[in-house]
Amino acid sequence: MSTAEPGHTIAVAVQTPAHSGMGDLLTYRSAQPLAPGTLVRVPLGRREVLGVVWEALAAPPEGVDLRAVAAVLDGIAPLDAHWRRLVNFAARYYQRSLGEIALMALPPQLRDLQPEQLARRLRRPAPTAQTDAAAVPLVALSAEQENARAQIAAQPGPFLLFGSTGSGKTEVYLRCVQAMLAADPSAQALVMVPEINLTPQLEERFIARFGATSVVALHSGMTNPQRLKSWLAAHNGSARIVLGTRMAVFASIPQLRLIVVDEEHDASYKQQEGARYSARDLAIWRGREQGAKVILGSATPSLESWYASRPASADDPGGRYLRLHMPSRIGEGALPRLRVVNMNHQPRRTVFSAPLLAALQERVERGEQCMILLNRRGYAPVLHCADCDWKSDCPHCSAHQVFHKADRTLRCHHCGFTVRVPRACPGCGSPDITPIGKGTEQLEEQLATLLADVRRPDGSPVRVARIDADTTRAKGALEAQLAQVHSGETDVLVGTQMIAKGHDFRRITLVAAVQPDGAFFSSDFRAPERLFSLLMQAGGRAGRDAQYIASQGSRGELWLQTFHPEHGMVAALRQHDYIAFAEQQLQERRDAAMPPFAFQALVRADARTQEVAQGFLLAASDAAYTQGLPGLGDHVTLYPPVPLVIQRVANVERVQMLLESDNRPALQHFLAAWQPLLLALRNQPEHKGLVRWLVDVDPLAI
């Protein structure tokens, strides 16, 4: 560390308060010339904060007494121009301040360590990068895998690797990374997964192939020291492969040559707090800007990626991506067969139909494993009193408190407010309060009762387990539970969508979705896409090991209990026909001018009252028309503000306003021109009580 004195004028990106209007860059003086990308500590108000030097200025502003840079982080090489351009693009596109994006992309501990602590950490010798791929025996690629690998090697991309569940997409990723590392001794790769719980198993495969010193992970489940260590290894080049969740797209990887986005369709790649960026979309931009190949992989691609990979035709030049198709499972394993149970023919309030129970019993008795999917945790969504119609509503949100039987609590899954279950109805005193609806906790309990007499091949009783956000809170709990499934200790696994994707369960032969109908008729135009993807991904957990399936003399099955067996989605699921489903959905969206044939943004206002929130957005709309902002009316349409479906969370009222455009640049120009008006409105007296406002570009939920 070195202390600065007067001499040079620099512009520094710092994390200023949201919507403060302070501007993207603040100006400081430095005793020495500092290269762009240098990390510094600078005074901001009464605090000293971390900043990134963005540019050197020719002269200080006139009549301004600049404050001096407090310290320079000498031991860390400046962040390169590629990284700064990525941050700048993300800030502009997602309508956030440059300093917010820049500092968000840096490890938290870098902001907090004292200078001497950081100096000690930097003095520790960094491990030497190495690859020991040659020591690992490689499995032979299938013809489809080899074709995909050859195309990726020969073409510039980006690529959409459209491979069915179990087709061996991960092995293609591994081979492409291996070829890239072998071709360039300094090259680095970024491999992203949608969720933290998928990182450990992928990390194991990469470490087994390339060695522990070459691979680092980056995700929010790590401790701050772990994240800093991984970030430094990627930044200085000692880590050749970076595995991570969406935050990893901002990692400093100077020699980046390959980016893999696994399960690219997953909504987890879209940040839902603060700067609402899409890591998948930024990966495409970063790959093009930095000269890195990009592979998007999925068995059920997002419709945006599917459309972007459409082949050329006589009247269509085609999409920007190259689509690579791998329809077959490794080892000639068959895709799971769909079994549909018409719940209209079952007794009222049936949770597990008789045919499904019989199938579960048969599989357990043969020593096979089963998986039950219900994307709702807890015991029941609500408690209800039949005498006075009381419901377990959250006092702080427009939502019910969920009944959790294990600890006898009512919990709001939106604000976290928790109370003990009352002994009697708080409204009328009746002791007869009953749960309504089903959650994973109740399914686990019911299955344990219904299968109590079922025996495993060794004569021991059936073992039912549950994996959801409640059972995996403790550190290491998820890994321990997954290990029990892999070892065969669990016979029937009940869980939410966190078990439905990415996991390579070798002995699961039956997957059942017990209550999937809610999304069939949702008002959200993306709901069918999400449901189809979830069911296809969940079904893909069944029958993945062709040798095991053959030895058992059975076939993987996906069971679907539905009141709408004639729905078009069911027909597409029966044939595993994502292509037909995608084309039908794209036609509907084309007819309705919805993404990917149009571009959207949301402006949301949160306030203490609906009146203030609605008033702010109405005033913002009026200001846009009064000022005649570019594109408004010609390319950009503003819709009236409406409350969110859950309009109150933690005593804050939420309202949103939709913007649509037939032209992406026009929408961006409009938003950029609108920002100063929104900032000015924020400070007007009539909007006192406004908690926050935000812009969400390319929203996934409306």
Side-chain angles (χ1 to χ4, degrees):
M1 299 274 179
S2 61
T3 303
E5 298 172 3
H8 300 269
T9 306
I10 56 173
V12 180
V14 297
Q15 189 160 9
T16 55
H19 307 310
S20 63
M22 294 178 66
D24 280 338
L25 301 172
L26 300 183
T27 307
Y28 292 88
R29 54 185 170 83
S30 168
Q32 60 197 53
L34 296 176
T38 301
L39 294 176
V40 292
R41 297 197 184 279
V42 294
L44 182 64
R46 297 182 179 180
R47 299 176 298 137
E48 187 181 289
V49 299
L50 182 68
V52 182
V53 175
W54 217 253
E55 59 183 344
L57 302 177
E62 298 224 359
V64 178
D65 185 18
L66 295 179
R67 303 179 76 178
V69 169
V72 180
L73 279 64
D74 300 304
I76 300 177
L79 295 152
D80 66 14
H82 292 299
W83 184 87
R84 299 196 305 278
R85 283 195 287 268
L86 172 69
V87 167
N88 186 68
F89 170 78
R92 298 292 173 266
Y93 187 82
Y94 293 106
Q95 303 294 315
R96 309 297 292 196
S97 76
L98 190 126
E100 178 188 9
I101 300 292
L103 273 296
M104 175 196 72
L106 299 176
Q109 198 173 41
L110 206 54
R111 308 170 213 165
D112 303 329
L113 280 179
Q114 294 299 315
E116 58 275 9
Q117 293 174 312
L118 182 59
R120 282 199 302 270
R121 182 177 291 274
L122 293 172
R123 280 198 296 269
R124 297 173 188 170
T128 304
Q130 63 183 41
T131 56
D132 49 4
V136 179
L138 301 179
V139 297
L141 296 180
S142 69
E144 291 173 1
Q145 287 176 307
E146 177 56 34
N147 176 64
R149 186 209 62 76
Q151 289 267 57
I152 293 168
Q155 302 289 336
F159 305 93
L160 176 63
L161 186 57
F162 171 45
S164 64
T165 53
S167 62
K169 294 187 291 296
T170 303
E171 184 60 34
V172 173
Y173 304 154
L174 288 162
R175 293 297 180 93
C176 291
V177 170
Q178 181 177 332
M180 180 269 301
L181 297 183
D184 184 345
S186 64
Q188 295 173 287
L190 169 62
V191 181
M192 292 197 295
V193 293
E195 294 184 10
I196 294 171
N197 63 55
L198 299 180
T199 308
Q201 68 177 38
L202 193 67
E203 190 174 4
E204 287 177 10
R205 289 192 65 174
F206 271 84
I207 287 175
R209 182 70 58 92
F210 300 109
T213 57
S214 295
V215 182
V216 297
L218 271 175
H219 56 79
S220 60
M222 303 168 68
T223 65
N224 284 344
Q226 289 172 332
R227 281 173 63 178
L228 178 58
K229 181 180 179 181
S230 293
W231 186 89
L232 288 171
H235 178 62
N236 64 32
S238 62
R240 304 287 303 280
I241 303 165
V242 179
L243 304 179
T245 51
R246 61 176 176 261
M247 69 163 59
V249 76
F250 286 112
S252 174
I253 311 176
Q255 301 300 319
L256 184 62
R257 296 292 178 268
L258 177 68
I259 303 175
V260 175
V261 185
D262 193 25
E263 310 290 359
E264 66 86 27
H265 65 276
D266 200 288
S268 298
Y269 283 120
K270 174 76 168 171
Q271 172 74 13
Q272 294 299 331
E273 297 294 334
R276 302 195 167 202
Y277 64 89
S278 166
R280 178 198 65 203
D281 296 348
L282 287 178
I284 293 290
W285 191 93
R286 184 173 190 178
R288 182 175 67 246
E289 197 281 329
Q290 202 163 346
K293 292 189 178 184
V294 182
I295 306 171
L296 309 179
S298 178
T300 54
S302 65
L303 291 181
E304 285 81 3
S305 296
W306 184 255
Y307 182 69
S309 68
R310 67 194 185 281
S313 63
D315 56 351
D316 185 349
R320 298 175 293 126
Y321 306 167
L322 178 62
R323 186 185 300 169
L324 308 173
H325 194 189
M326 298 199 312
S328 307
R329 279 189 155 184
I330 293 299
E332 300 181 354
L335 290 166
R337 176 174 49 204
L338 181 68
R339 301 289 295 271
V340 179
V341 179
N342 188 341
M343 297 303 286
N344 295 297
H345 301 159
Q346 298 295 317
R348 285 190 65 195
R349 299 184 180 178
T350 296
V351 179
F352 295 100
S353 62
L356 176 57
L357 279 174
L360 291 172
Q361 178 174 341
E362 178 186 351
R363 302 275 174 161
V364 171
E365 288 175 343
R366 288 210 303 257
E368 300 170 18
Q369 294 174 306
C370 305
M371 192 169 87
I372 308 297
L373 177 68
L374 177 65
N375 207 23
R376 183 188 295 137
R377 61 190 173 98
Y379 190 86
V382 62
L383 284 185
H384 176 247
C385 173
D387 293 336
C388 71
D389 203 34
W390 171 87
K391 293 182 178 68
S392 55
D393 294 331
C394 176
H396 309 296
C397 304
S398 303
H400 300 306
Q401 285 186 287
V402 177
F403 173 39
H404 290 257
K405 189 176 180 180
D407 57 3
R408 302 292 298 175
T409 61
L410 294 173
R411 288 187 223 155
C412 177
H413 289 175
H414 299 279
C415 72
F417 181 71
T418 303
V419 295
R420 300 290 298 172
V421 173
R423 295 182 178 275
C425 172
C428 68
S430 170
D432 190 18
I433 49 177
T434 57
I436 297 178
K438 313 292 181 186
T440 50
E441 194 179 331
Q442 187 171 170
L443 260 58
E444 178 190 24
E445 180 183 276
Q446 290 189 358
L447 272 177
T449 302
L450 292 168
L451 301 177
D453 297 330
V454 178
R455 291 292 179 268
R456 294 153 54 100
D458 61 3
S460 60
V462 65
R463 299 170 187 170
V464 180
R466 171 169 54 97
I467 293 181
D468 57 27
D470 295 322
T471 66
T472 56
R473 292 181 188 278
K475 185 175 177 62
L478 176 62
E479 290 78 3
Q481 289 174 292
L482 290 174
Q484 290 178 346
V485 179
H486 288 299
S487 67
E489 294 179 48
T490 299
D491 301 305
V492 182
L493 176 63
V494 178
T496 56
Q497 65 174 355
M498 67 189 300
I499 64 170
K501 52 196 173 186
H503 299 290
D504 191 18
F505 299 125
R506 309 304 292 178
R507 294 173 59 182
I508 285 181
T509 59
L510 183 151
V511 175
V514 293
Q515 291 182 345
D517 288 355
F520 281 170
F521 308 103
S522 170
S523 60
D524 185 348
F525 72 91
R526 295 185 191 273
E529 178 186 1
R530 284 196 293 265
L531 177 61
F532 188 87
S533 173
L534 179 61
L535 294 177
M536 284 278 284
Q537 294 285 336
R541 301 315 106 201
R544 296 176 70 86
D545 190 328
Q547 289 185 337
Y548 178 72
I549 287 289
S551 68
Q552 294 293 102
S554 61
R555 180 179 174 182
E557 290 183 341
L558 170 63
W559 284 67
L560 190 67
Q561 294 189 157
T562 176
F563 288 96
H564 306 281
E566 304 305 319
H567 196 281
M569 186 186 298
V570 177
L573 279 170
R574 194 183 298 278
Q575 300 299 322
H576 302 282
D577 196 349
Y578 170 83
I579 296 176
F581 171 78
E583 293 306 318
Q584 176 263 331
Q585 286 288 304
L586 282 174
Q587 187 57 51
E588 287 187 8
R589 294 197 188 179
R590 185 183 285 108
D591 295 341
M594 292 287 191
F597 305 101
F599 307 97
Q600 296 179 328
L602 285 174
V603 179
R604 202 179 91 190
D606 296 353
R608 296 300 176 191
T609 66
Q610 271 288 314
E611 291 74 21
V612 170
Q614 296 252 5
F616 176 78
L617 293 186
L618 286 170
S621 179
D622 291 342
Y625 282 103
T626 301
Q627 296 289 326
L629 295 188
L632 188 57
D634 299 324
H635 294 289
V636 178
T637 301
L638 274 178
Y639 290 91
V642 294
L644 272 72
V645 174
I646 300 176
Q647 70 179 51
R648 189 176 82 258
V649 171
N651 292 323
V652 172
E653 299 285 340
R654 311 186 302 166
V655 179
Q656 66 184 13
M657 184 161 58
L658 175 66
L659 295 79
E660 284 189 339
S661 176
D662 59 357
N663 183 280
R664 193 194 299 271
L667 180 60
Q668 283 291 318
H669 291 152
F670 174 83
L671 290 172
W674 205 19
Q675 280 275 8
L677 300 182
L678 291 167
L679 280 168
L681 286 171
R682 172 71 175 86
N683 298 318
Q684 291 185 1
E686 59 266 33
H687 301 131
K688 185 178 181 181
L690 184 70
V691 175
R692 69 185 70 87
W693 63 270
L694 59 90
V695 177
D696 186 357
V697 180
D698 302 331
L700 289 188
I702 298 176

